[in-house]
PDB file of all heavy atoms in Angstrom:
ATOM      1  N   ALA F  15       0.824  -1.199   0.000  1.00  0.00           N
ATOM      2  CA  ALA F  15       0.000   0.000   0.000  1.00  0.00           C
ATOM      3  C   ALA F  15       0.864   1.256   0.000  1.00  0.00           C
ATOM      4  O   ALA F  15       0.561   2.235  -0.703  1.00  0.00           O
ATOM      5  CB  ALA F  15      -0.934  -0.009   1.208  1.00  0.00           C
ATOM      6  N   ALA F  16       1.936   1.261   0.791  1.00  0.00           N
ATOM      7  CA  ALA F  16       2.835   2.413   0.802  1.00  0.00           C
ATOM      8  C   ALA F  16       3.485   2.595  -0.565  1.00  0.00           C
ATOM      9  O   ALA F  16       3.653   3.723  -1.055  1.00  0.00           O
ATOM     10  CB  ALA F  16       3.895   2.223   1.891  1.00  0.00           C
ATOM     11  N   TRP F  17       3.864   1.486  -1.187  1.00  0.00           N
ATOM     12  CA  TRP F  17       4.458   1.531  -2.528  1.00  0.00           C
ATOM     13  C   TRP F  17       3.443   2.071  -3.542  1.00  0.00           C
ATOM     14  O   TRP F  17       3.773   2.916  -4.380  1.00  0.00           O
ATOM     15  CB  TRP F  17       4.903   0.128  -2.910  1.00  0.00           C
ATOM     16  CG  TRP F  17       5.541  -0.007  -4.250  1.00  0.00           C
ATOM     17  CD1 TRP F  17       6.876   0.094  -4.540  1.00  0.00           C
ATOM     18  CD2 TRP F  17       4.899  -0.322  -5.491  1.00  0.00           C
ATOM     19  NE1 TRP F  17       7.088  -0.123  -5.889  1.00  0.00           N
ATOM     20  CE2 TRP F  17       5.888  -0.374  -6.488  1.00  0.00           C
ATOM     21  CE3 TRP F  17       3.563  -0.559  -5.843  1.00  0.00           C
ATOM     22  CZ2 TRP F  17       5.596  -0.660  -7.822  1.00  0.00           C
ATOM     23  CZ3 TRP F  17       3.263  -0.837  -7.169  1.00  0.00           C
ATOM     24  CH2 TRP F  17       4.268  -0.884  -8.141  1.00  0.00           C
ATOM     25  N   THR F  18       2.204   1.614  -3.451  1.00  0.00           N
ATOM     26  CA  THR F  18       1.170   2.056  -4.390  1.00  0.00           C
ATOM     27  C   THR F  18       0.879   3.542  -4.210  1.00  0.00           C
ATOM     28  O   THR F  18       0.666   4.266  -5.191  1.00  0.00           O
ATOM     29  CB  THR F  18      -0.115   1.238  -4.196  1.00  0.00           C
ATOM     30  OG1 THR F  18       0.177  -0.151  -4.381  1.00  0.00           O
ATOM     31  CG2 THR F  18      -1.192   1.652  -5.184  1.00  0.00           C
ATOM     32  N   ALA F  19       0.857   4.013  -2.966  1.00  0.00           N
ATOM     33  CA  ALA F  19       0.611   5.437  -2.722  1.00  0.00           C
ATOM     34  C   ALA F  19       1.684   6.292  -3.388  1.00  0.00           C
ATOM     35  O   ALA F  19       1.376   7.344  -3.975  1.00  0.00           O
ATOM     36  CB  ALA F  19       0.565   5.705  -1.220  1.00  0.00           C
ATOM     37  N   GLU F  20       2.922   5.858  -3.319  1.00  0.00           N
ATOM     38  CA  GLU F  20       4.002   6.611  -3.964  1.00  0.00           C
ATOM     39  C   GLU F  20       3.880   6.544  -5.484  1.00  0.00           C
ATOM     40  O   GLU F  20       4.138   7.525  -6.186  1.00  0.00           O
ATOM     41  CB  GLU F  20       5.360   6.086  -3.516  1.00  0.00           C
ATOM     42  CG  GLU F  20       6.527   6.937  -3.992  1.00  0.00           C
ATOM     43  CD  GLU F  20       7.838   6.602  -3.314  1.00  0.00           C
ATOM     44  OE1 GLU F  20       7.832   6.371  -2.090  1.00  0.00           O
ATOM     45  OE2 GLU F  20       8.875   6.581  -4.018  1.00  0.00           O
ATOM     46  N   LEU F  21       3.470   5.393  -5.995  1.00  0.00           N
ATOM     47  CA  LEU F  21       3.257   5.268  -7.432  1.00  0.00           C
ATOM     48  C   LEU F  21       2.149   6.216  -7.896  1.00  0.00           C
ATOM     49  O   LEU F  21       2.284   6.891  -8.920  1.00  0.00           O
ATOM     50  CB  LEU F  21       2.902   3.824  -7.784  1.00  0.00           C
ATOM     51  CG  LEU F  21       2.554   3.546  -9.247  1.00  0.00           C
ATOM     52  CD1 LEU F  21       3.783   3.742 -10.142  1.00  0.00           C
ATOM     53  CD2 LEU F  21       2.003   2.129  -9.421  1.00  0.00           C
ATOM     54  N   LEU F  22       1.057   6.275  -7.146  1.00  0.00           N
ATOM     55  CA  LEU F  22      -0.043   7.174  -7.498  1.00  0.00           C
ATOM     56  C   LEU F  22       0.421   8.630  -7.510  1.00  0.00           C
ATOM     57  O   LEU F  22       0.014   9.419  -8.374  1.00  0.00           O
ATOM     58  CB  LEU F  22      -1.198   7.013  -6.513  1.00  0.00           C
ATOM     59  CG  LEU F  22      -1.999   5.713  -6.577  1.00  0.00           C
ATOM     60  CD1 LEU F  22      -2.997   5.664  -5.438  1.00  0.00           C
ATOM     61  CD2 LEU F  22      -2.708   5.560  -7.908  1.00  0.00           C
ATOM     62  N   ALA F  23       1.267   8.992  -6.566  1.00  0.00           N
ATOM     63  CA  ALA F  23       1.762  10.364  -6.510  1.00  0.00           C
ATOM     64  C   ALA F  23       2.581  10.704  -7.748  1.00  0.00           C
ATOM     65  O   ALA F  23       2.575  11.856  -8.207  1.00  0.00           O
ATOM     66  CB  ALA F  23       2.604  10.562  -5.255  1.00  0.00           C
ATOM     67  N   ALA F  24       3.265   9.711  -8.311  1.00  0.00           N
ATOM     68  CA  ALA F  24       4.051   9.943  -9.522  1.00  0.00           C
ATOM     69  C   ALA F  24       3.174   9.972 -10.764  1.00  0.00           C
ATOM     70  O   ALA F  24       3.372  10.794 -11.664  1.00  0.00           O
ATOM     71  CB  ALA F  24       5.115   8.863  -9.663  1.00  0.00           C
ATOM     72  N   VAL F  25       2.192   9.081 -10.820  1.00  0.00           N
ATOM     73  CA  VAL F  25       1.338   8.975 -12.002  1.00  0.00           C
ATOM     74  C   VAL F  25       0.357  10.129 -12.089  1.00  0.00           C
ATOM     75  O   VAL F  25       0.095  10.671 -13.174  1.00  0.00           O
ATOM     76  CB  VAL F  25       0.588   7.625 -11.982  1.00  0.00           C
ATOM     77  CG1 VAL F  25      -0.473   7.569 -13.064  1.00  0.00           C
ATOM     78  CG2 VAL F  25       1.569   6.471 -12.138  1.00  0.00           C
ATOM     79  N   ALA F  26      -0.210  10.522 -10.959  1.00  0.00           N
ATOM     80  CA  ALA F  26      -1.241  11.570 -10.940  1.00  0.00           C
ATOM     81  C   ALA F  26      -1.091  12.392  -9.665  1.00  0.00           C
ATOM     82  O   ALA F  26      -1.830  12.195  -8.699  1.00  0.00           O
ATOM     83  CB  ALA F  26      -2.625  10.958 -11.031  1.00  0.00           C
ATOM     84  N   PRO F  27      -0.122  13.310  -9.637  1.00  0.00           N
ATOM     85  CA  PRO F  27       0.128  14.067  -8.402  1.00  0.00           C
ATOM     86  C   PRO F  27      -1.054  14.898  -7.924  1.00  0.00           C
ATOM     87  O   PRO F  27      -1.144  15.214  -6.742  1.00  0.00           O
ATOM     88  CB  PRO F  27       1.323  14.961  -8.779  1.00  0.00           C
ATOM     89  CG  PRO F  27       1.382  14.963 -10.266  1.00  0.00           C
ATOM     90  CD  PRO F  27       0.821  13.652 -10.699  1.00  0.00           C
ATOM     91  N   GLU F  28      -1.987  15.240  -8.826  1.00  0.00           N
ATOM     92  CA  GLU F  28      -3.154  16.026  -8.425  1.00  0.00           C
ATOM     93  C   GLU F  28      -4.309  15.156  -7.936  1.00  0.00           C
ATOM     94  O   GLU F  28      -5.370  15.668  -7.571  1.00  0.00           O
ATOM     95  CB  GLU F  28      -3.632  16.894  -9.604  1.00  0.00           C
ATOM     96  CG  GLU F  28      -2.575  17.851 -10.135  1.00  0.00           C
ATOM     97  CD  GLU F  28      -2.082  18.811  -9.066  1.00  0.00           C
ATOM     98  OE1 GLU F  28      -2.926  19.275  -8.271  1.00  0.00           O
ATOM     99  OE2 GLU F  28      -0.876  19.085  -9.019  1.00  0.00           O
ATOM    100  N   GLY F  29      -4.116  13.837  -7.964  1.00  0.00           N
ATOM    101  CA  GLY F  29      -5.169  12.939  -7.490  1.00  0.00           C
ATOM    102  C   GLY F  29      -6.232  12.614  -8.507  1.00  0.00           C
ATOM    103  O   GLY F  29      -7.234  11.967  -8.170  1.00  0.00           O
ATOM    104  N   ASP F  30      -6.050  13.051  -9.767  1.00  0.00           N
ATOM    105  CA  ASP F  30      -7.050  12.780 -10.803  1.00  0.00           C
ATOM    106  C   ASP F  30      -6.799  11.403 -11.405  1.00  0.00           C
ATOM    107  O   ASP F  30      -6.320  11.261 -12.531  1.00  0.00           O
ATOM    108  CB  ASP F  30      -7.002  13.863 -11.884  1.00  0.00           C
ATOM    109  CG  ASP F  30      -8.140  13.717 -12.889  1.00  0.00           C
ATOM    110  OD1 ASP F  30      -9.133  13.043 -12.554  1.00  0.00           O
ATOM    111  OD2 ASP F  30      -8.026  14.272 -13.997  1.00  0.00           O
ATOM    112  N   VAL F  31      -7.090  10.373 -10.626  1.00  0.00           N
ATOM    113  CA  VAL F  31      -6.787   9.008 -11.031  1.00  0.00           C
ATOM    114  C   VAL F  31      -7.808   8.080 -10.390  1.00  0.00           C
ATOM    115  O   VAL F  31      -8.341   8.346  -9.314  1.00  0.00           O
ATOM    116  CB  VAL F  31      -5.345   8.613 -10.604  1.00  0.00           C
ATOM    117  CG1 VAL F  31      -5.207   8.628  -9.090  1.00  0.00           C
ATOM    118  CG2 VAL F  31      -4.937   7.260 -11.168  1.00  0.00           C
ATOM    119  N   VAL F  32      -8.092   6.986 -11.079  1.00  0.00           N
ATOM    120  CA  VAL F  32      -8.916   5.912 -10.533  1.00  0.00           C
ATOM    121  C   VAL F  32      -7.991   4.746 -10.220  1.00  0.00           C
ATOM    122  O   VAL F  32      -7.153   4.376 -11.053  1.00  0.00           O
ATOM    123  CB  VAL F  32     -10.016   5.486 -11.523  1.00  0.00           C
ATOM    124  CG1 VAL F  32     -10.746   4.238 -11.027  1.00  0.00           C
ATOM    125  CG2 VAL F  32     -11.011   6.623 -11.737  1.00  0.00           C
ATOM    126  N   LEU F  33      -8.122   4.182  -9.051  1.00  0.00           N
ATOM    127  CA  LEU F  33      -7.311   3.035  -8.647  1.00  0.00           C
ATOM    128  C   LEU F  33      -8.164   1.776  -8.748  1.00  0.00           C
ATOM    129  O   LEU F  33      -9.319   1.765  -8.311  1.00  0.00           O
ATOM    130  CB  LEU F  33      -6.814   3.221  -7.217  1.00  0.00           C
ATOM    131  CG  LEU F  33      -5.952   2.090  -6.641  1.00  0.00           C
ATOM    132  CD1 LEU F  33      -4.686   1.881  -7.457  1.00  0.00           C
ATOM    133  CD2 LEU F  33      -5.602   2.368  -5.177  1.00  0.00           C
ATOM    134  N   ALA F  34      -7.591   0.735  -9.337  1.00  0.00           N
ATOM    135  CA  ALA F  34      -8.302  -0.533  -9.500  1.00  0.00           C
ATOM    136  C   ALA F  34      -7.409  -1.675  -9.043  1.00  0.00           C
ATOM    137  O   ALA F  34      -6.173  -1.565  -9.037  1.00  0.00           O
ATOM    138  CB  ALA F  34      -8.714  -0.743 -10.960  1.00  0.00           C
ATOM    139  N   GLY F  35      -8.032  -2.782  -8.660  1.00  0.00           N
ATOM    140  CA  GLY F  35      -7.269  -3.955  -8.259  1.00  0.00           C
ATOM    141  C   GLY F  35      -8.088  -5.214  -8.451  1.00  0.00           C
ATOM    142  O   GLY F  35      -9.304  -5.211  -8.260  1.00  0.00           O
ATOM    143  N   HIS F  36      -7.401  -6.289  -8.833  1.00  0.00           N
ATOM    144  CA  HIS F  36      -8.046  -7.597  -8.978  1.00  0.00           C
ATOM    145  C   HIS F  36      -7.537  -8.532  -7.886  1.00  0.00           C
ATOM    146  O   HIS F  36      -6.332  -8.605  -7.634  1.00  0.00           O
ATOM    147  CB  HIS F  36      -7.749  -8.202 -10.353  1.00  0.00           C
ATOM    148  CG  HIS F  36      -8.207  -9.629 -10.473  1.00  0.00           C
ATOM    149  ND1 HIS F  36      -7.344 -10.697 -10.382  1.00  0.00           N
ATOM    150  CD2 HIS F  36      -9.445 -10.163 -10.636  1.00  0.00           C
ATOM    151  CE1 HIS F  36      -8.026 -11.822 -10.508  1.00  0.00           C
ATOM    152  NE2 HIS F  36      -9.301 -11.523 -10.654  1.00  0.00           N
ATOM    153  N   SER F  37      -8.438  -9.240  -7.215  1.00  0.00           N
ATOM    154  CA  SER F  37      -8.100 -10.263  -6.235  1.00  0.00           C
ATOM    155  C   SER F  37      -7.185  -9.685  -5.151  1.00  0.00           C
ATOM    156  O   SER F  37      -7.573  -8.761  -4.450  1.00  0.00           O
ATOM    157  CB  SER F  37      -7.471 -11.463  -6.948  1.00  0.00           C
ATOM    158  OG  SER F  37      -7.378 -12.567  -6.087  1.00  0.00           O
ATOM    159  N   PHE F  38      -5.967 -10.195  -4.983  1.00  0.00           N
ATOM    160  CA  PHE F  38      -5.063  -9.631  -3.984  1.00  0.00           C
ATOM    161  C   PHE F  38      -4.830  -8.147  -4.236  1.00  0.00           C
ATOM    162  O   PHE F  38      -4.695  -7.352  -3.298  1.00  0.00           O
ATOM    163  CB  PHE F  38      -3.732 -10.384  -3.989  1.00  0.00           C
ATOM    164  CG  PHE F  38      -2.715  -9.834  -3.016  1.00  0.00           C
ATOM    165  CD1 PHE F  38      -3.002  -9.740  -1.662  1.00  0.00           C
ATOM    166  CD2 PHE F  38      -1.475  -9.405  -3.459  1.00  0.00           C
ATOM    167  CE1 PHE F  38      -2.062  -9.233  -0.763  1.00  0.00           C
ATOM    168  CE2 PHE F  38      -0.535  -8.898  -2.573  1.00  0.00           C
ATOM    169  CZ  PHE F  38      -0.829  -8.814  -1.219  1.00  0.00           C
ATOM    170  N   GLY F  39      -4.820  -7.759  -5.512  1.00  0.00           N
ATOM    171  CA  GLY F  39      -4.703  -6.338  -5.826  1.00  0.00           C
ATOM    172  C   GLY F  39      -5.842  -5.523  -5.266  1.00  0.00           C
ATOM    173  O   GLY F  39      -5.684  -4.326  -4.991  1.00  0.00           O
ATOM    174  N   SER F  40      -7.017  -6.137  -5.065  1.00  0.00           N
ATOM    175  CA  SER F  40      -8.143  -5.409  -4.474  1.00  0.00           C
ATOM    176  C   SER F  40      -7.866  -5.079  -3.014  1.00  0.00           C
ATOM    177  O   SER F  40      -8.261  -4.013  -2.525  1.00  0.00           O
ATOM    178  CB  SER F  40      -9.438  -6.224  -4.603  1.00  0.00           C
ATOM    179  OG  SER F  40      -9.464  -7.327  -3.706  1.00  0.00           O
ATOM    180  N   ILE F  41      -7.196  -5.987  -2.303  1.00  0.00           N
ATOM    181  CA  ILE F  41      -6.841  -5.719  -0.909  1.00  0.00           C
ATOM    182  C   ILE F  41      -5.840  -4.573  -0.828  1.00  0.00           C
ATOM    183  O   ILE F  41      -5.976  -3.649  -0.025  1.00  0.00           O
ATOM    184  CB  ILE F  41      -6.253  -6.981  -0.243  1.00  0.00           C
ATOM    185  CG1 ILE F  41      -7.240  -8.148  -0.302  1.00  0.00           C
ATOM    186  CG2 ILE F  41      -5.866  -6.680   1.209  1.00  0.00           C
ATOM    187  CD1 ILE F  41      -6.678  -9.454   0.244  1.00  0.00           C
ATOM    188  N   VAL F  42      -4.821  -4.633  -1.696  1.00  0.00           N
ATOM    189  CA  VAL F  42      -3.800  -3.588  -1.704  1.00  0.00           C
ATOM    190  C   VAL F  42      -4.419  -2.236  -2.059  1.00  0.00           C
ATOM    191  O   VAL F  42      -4.127  -1.211  -1.434  1.00  0.00           O
ATOM    192  CB  VAL F  42      -2.668  -3.938  -2.679  1.00  0.00           C
ATOM    193  CG1 VAL F  42      -1.661  -2.801  -2.772  1.00  0.00           C
ATOM    194  CG2 VAL F  42      -1.976  -5.234  -2.247  1.00  0.00           C
ATOM    195  N   ALA F  43      -5.291  -2.229  -3.063  1.00  0.00           N
ATOM    196  CA  ALA F  43      -5.936  -0.981  -3.469  1.00  0.00           C
ATOM    197  C   ALA F  43      -6.775  -0.408  -2.332  1.00  0.00           C
ATOM    198  O   ALA F  43      -6.744   0.799  -2.058  1.00  0.00           O
ATOM    199  CB  ALA F  43      -6.803  -1.216  -4.704  1.00  0.00           C
ATOM    200  N   ALA F  44      -7.546  -1.258  -1.664  1.00  0.00           N
ATOM    201  CA  ALA F  44      -8.381  -0.794  -0.549  1.00  0.00           C
ATOM    202  C   ALA F  44      -7.519  -0.239   0.578  1.00  0.00           C
ATOM    203  O   ALA F  44      -7.827   0.811   1.150  1.00  0.00           O
ATOM    204  CB  ALA F  44      -9.249  -1.935  -0.044  1.00  0.00           C
ATOM    205  N   ALA F  45      -6.431  -0.942   0.913  1.00  0.00           N
ATOM    206  CA  ALA F  45      -5.549  -0.480   1.980  1.00  0.00           C
ATOM    207  C   ALA F  45      -4.883   0.840   1.615  1.00  0.00           C
ATOM    208  O   ALA F  45      -4.633   1.687   2.489  1.00  0.00           O
ATOM    209  CB  ALA F  45      -4.496  -1.537   2.269  1.00  0.00           C
ATOM    210  N   THR F  46      -4.606   1.043   0.342  1.00  0.00           N
ATOM    211  CA  THR F  46      -3.938   2.260  -0.103  1.00  0.00           C
ATOM    212  C   THR F  46      -4.791   3.494   0.137  1.00  0.00           C
ATOM    213  O   THR F  46      -4.289   4.541   0.555  1.00  0.00           O
ATOM    214  CB  THR F  46      -3.584   2.152  -1.597  1.00  0.00           C
ATOM    215  OG1 THR F  46      -2.724   1.016  -1.815  1.00  0.00           O
ATOM    216  CG2 THR F  46      -2.879   3.403  -2.095  1.00  0.00           C
ATOM    217  N   VAL F  47      -6.090   3.394  -0.147  1.00  0.00           N
ATOM    218  CA  VAL F  47      -6.959   4.579  -0.059  1.00  0.00           C
ATOM    219  C   VAL F  47      -7.706   4.688   1.271  1.00  0.00           C
ATOM    220  O   VAL F  47      -8.402   5.674   1.500  1.00  0.00           O
ATOM    221  CB  VAL F  47      -7.978   4.602  -1.218  1.00  0.00           C
ATOM    222  CG1 VAL F  47      -7.253   4.563  -2.556  1.00  0.00           C
ATOM    223  CG2 VAL F  47      -8.956   3.441  -1.124  1.00  0.00           C
ATOM    224  N   ALA F  48      -7.561   3.694   2.135  1.00  0.00           N
ATOM    225  CA  ALA F  48      -8.246   3.752   3.432  1.00  0.00           C
ATOM    226  C   ALA F  48      -7.622   4.828   4.310  1.00  0.00           C
ATOM    227  O   ALA F  48      -6.402   4.999   4.355  1.00  0.00           O
ATOM    228  CB  ALA F  48      -8.173   2.397   4.131  1.00  0.00           C
ATOM    229  N   ALA F  49      -8.457   5.559   5.026  1.00  0.00           N
ATOM    230  CA  ALA F  49      -7.965   6.584   5.937  1.00  0.00           C
ATOM    231  C   ALA F  49      -7.151   5.933   7.047  1.00  0.00           C
ATOM    232  O   ALA F  49      -7.508   4.856   7.552  1.00  0.00           O
ATOM    233  CB  ALA F  49      -9.143   7.363   6.531  1.00  0.00           C
ATOM    234  N   PRO F  50      -6.044   6.550   7.452  1.00  0.00           N
ATOM    235  CA  PRO F  50      -5.209   5.944   8.497  1.00  0.00           C
ATOM    236  C   PRO F  50      -5.918   5.930   9.843  1.00  0.00           C
ATOM    237  O   PRO F  50      -6.810   6.745  10.117  1.00  0.00           O
ATOM    238  CB  PRO F  50      -3.971   6.862   8.532  1.00  0.00           C
ATOM    239  CG  PRO F  50      -4.453   8.169   8.000  1.00  0.00           C
ATOM    240  CD  PRO F  50      -5.501   7.828   6.975  1.00  0.00           C
ATOM    241  N   VAL F  51      -5.507   5.023  10.692  1.00  0.00           N
ATOM    242  CA  VAL F  51      -6.059   4.915  12.044  1.00  0.00           C
ATOM    243  C   VAL F  51      -5.123   5.640  13.002  1.00  0.00           C
ATOM    244  O   VAL F  51      -3.918   5.390  13.016  1.00  0.00           O
ATOM    245  CB  VAL F  51      -6.210   3.437  12.457  1.00  0.00           C
ATOM    246  CG1 VAL F  51      -6.691   3.340  13.903  1.00  0.00           C
ATOM    247  CG2 VAL F  51      -7.170   2.719  11.530  1.00  0.00           C
ATOM    248  N   GLY F  52      -5.678   6.541  13.806  1.00  0.00           N
ATOM    249  CA  GLY F  52      -4.867   7.248  14.783  1.00  0.00           C
ATOM    250  C   GLY F  52      -4.101   8.407  14.173  1.00  0.00           C
ATOM    251  O   GLY F  52      -4.369   8.837  13.044  1.00  0.00           O
ATOM    252  N   THR F  53      -3.125   8.908  14.909  1.00  0.00           N
ATOM    253  CA  THR F  53      -2.291  10.016  14.461  1.00  0.00           C
ATOM    254  C   THR F  53      -0.840   9.715  14.795  1.00  0.00           C
ATOM    255  O   THR F  53      -0.539   8.822  15.587  1.00  0.00           O
ATOM    256  CB  THR F  53      -2.704  11.334  15.144  1.00  0.00           C
ATOM    257  OG1 THR F  53      -2.566  11.181  16.554  1.00  0.00           O
ATOM    258  CG2 THR F  53      -4.133  11.713  14.794  1.00  0.00           C
ATOM    259  N   GLY F  54       0.046  10.485  14.194  1.00  0.00           N
ATOM    260  CA  GLY F  54       1.460  10.299  14.490  1.00  0.00           C
ATOM    261  C   GLY F  54       2.302  10.464  13.258  1.00  0.00           C
ATOM    262  O   GLY F  54       1.809  10.359  12.120  1.00  0.00           O
ATOM    263  N   PRO F  55       3.607  10.709  13.450  1.00  0.00           N
ATOM    264  CA  PRO F  55       4.495  10.969  12.306  1.00  0.00           C
ATOM    265  C   PRO F  55       4.681   9.766  11.392  1.00  0.00           C
ATOM    266  O   PRO F  55       5.050   9.912  10.231  1.00  0.00           O
ATOM    267  CB  PRO F  55       5.810  11.362  12.984  1.00  0.00           C
ATOM    268  CG  PRO F  55       5.733  10.752  14.356  1.00  0.00           C
ATOM    269  CD  PRO F  55       4.296  10.816  14.739  1.00  0.00           C
ATOM    270  N   GLY F  56       4.437   8.560  11.893  1.00  0.00           N
ATOM    271  CA  GLY F  56       4.648   7.372  11.069  1.00  0.00           C
ATOM    272  C   GLY F  56       3.484   7.026  10.164  1.00  0.00           C
ATOM    273  O   GLY F  56       3.592   6.121   9.331  1.00  0.00           O
ATOM    274  N   LEU F  57       2.370   7.737  10.300  1.00  0.00           N
ATOM    275  CA  LEU F  57       1.182   7.418   9.515  1.00  0.00           C
ATOM    276  C   LEU F  57       1.233   8.096   8.155  1.00  0.00           C
ATOM    277  O   LEU F  57       1.629   9.256   8.041  1.00  0.00           O
ATOM    278  CB  LEU F  57      -0.086   7.845  10.254  1.00  0.00           C
ATOM    279  CG  LEU F  57      -0.442   7.039  11.503  1.00  0.00           C
ATOM    280  CD1 LEU F  57      -1.658   7.628  12.176  1.00  0.00           C
ATOM    281  CD2 LEU F  57      -0.681   5.573  11.151  1.00  0.00           C
ATOM    282  N   ARG F  58       0.808   7.353   7.121  1.00  0.00           N
ATOM    283  CA  ARG F  58       0.770   7.881   5.765  1.00  0.00           C
ATOM    284  C   ARG F  58      -0.648   8.332   5.456  1.00  0.00           C
ATOM    285  O   ARG F  58      -1.588   7.567   5.620  1.00  0.00           O
ATOM    286  CB  ARG F  58       1.191   6.780   4.775  1.00  0.00           C
ATOM    287  CG  ARG F  58       0.937   7.103   3.327  1.00  0.00           C
ATOM    288  CD  ARG F  58       1.221   5.906   2.435  1.00  0.00           C
ATOM    289  NE  ARG F  58       0.451   4.743   2.789  1.00  0.00           N
ATOM    290  CZ  ARG F  58      -0.811   4.532   2.440  1.00  0.00           C
ATOM    291  NH1 ARG F  58      -1.464   5.448   1.740  1.00  0.00           N
ATOM    292  NH2 ARG F  58      -1.424   3.421   2.782  1.00  0.00           N
ATOM    293  N   PRO F  59      -0.825   9.582   5.006  1.00  0.00           N
ATOM    294  CA  PRO F  59      -2.186  10.007   4.640  1.00  0.00           C
ATOM    295  C   PRO F  59      -2.683   9.240   3.427  1.00  0.00           C
ATOM    296  O   PRO F  59      -1.896   8.847   2.548  1.00  0.00           O
ATOM    297  CB  PRO F  59      -2.017  11.495   4.329  1.00  0.00           C
ATOM    298  CG  PRO F  59      -0.576  11.650   3.971  1.00  0.00           C
ATOM    299  CD  PRO F  59       0.164  10.637   4.796  1.00  0.00           C
TER     300      PRO F  59
END
């Protein structure tokens, strides 16, 4: 998910992108766009 978030930032830095995933890719895609739990410097928006 962290890797995918960085990829999205490179492909569409303004956020104008649709993310898709098949099977295991669906889990990764969901985890990538899910809001983080809690707060702190280690959390990725």
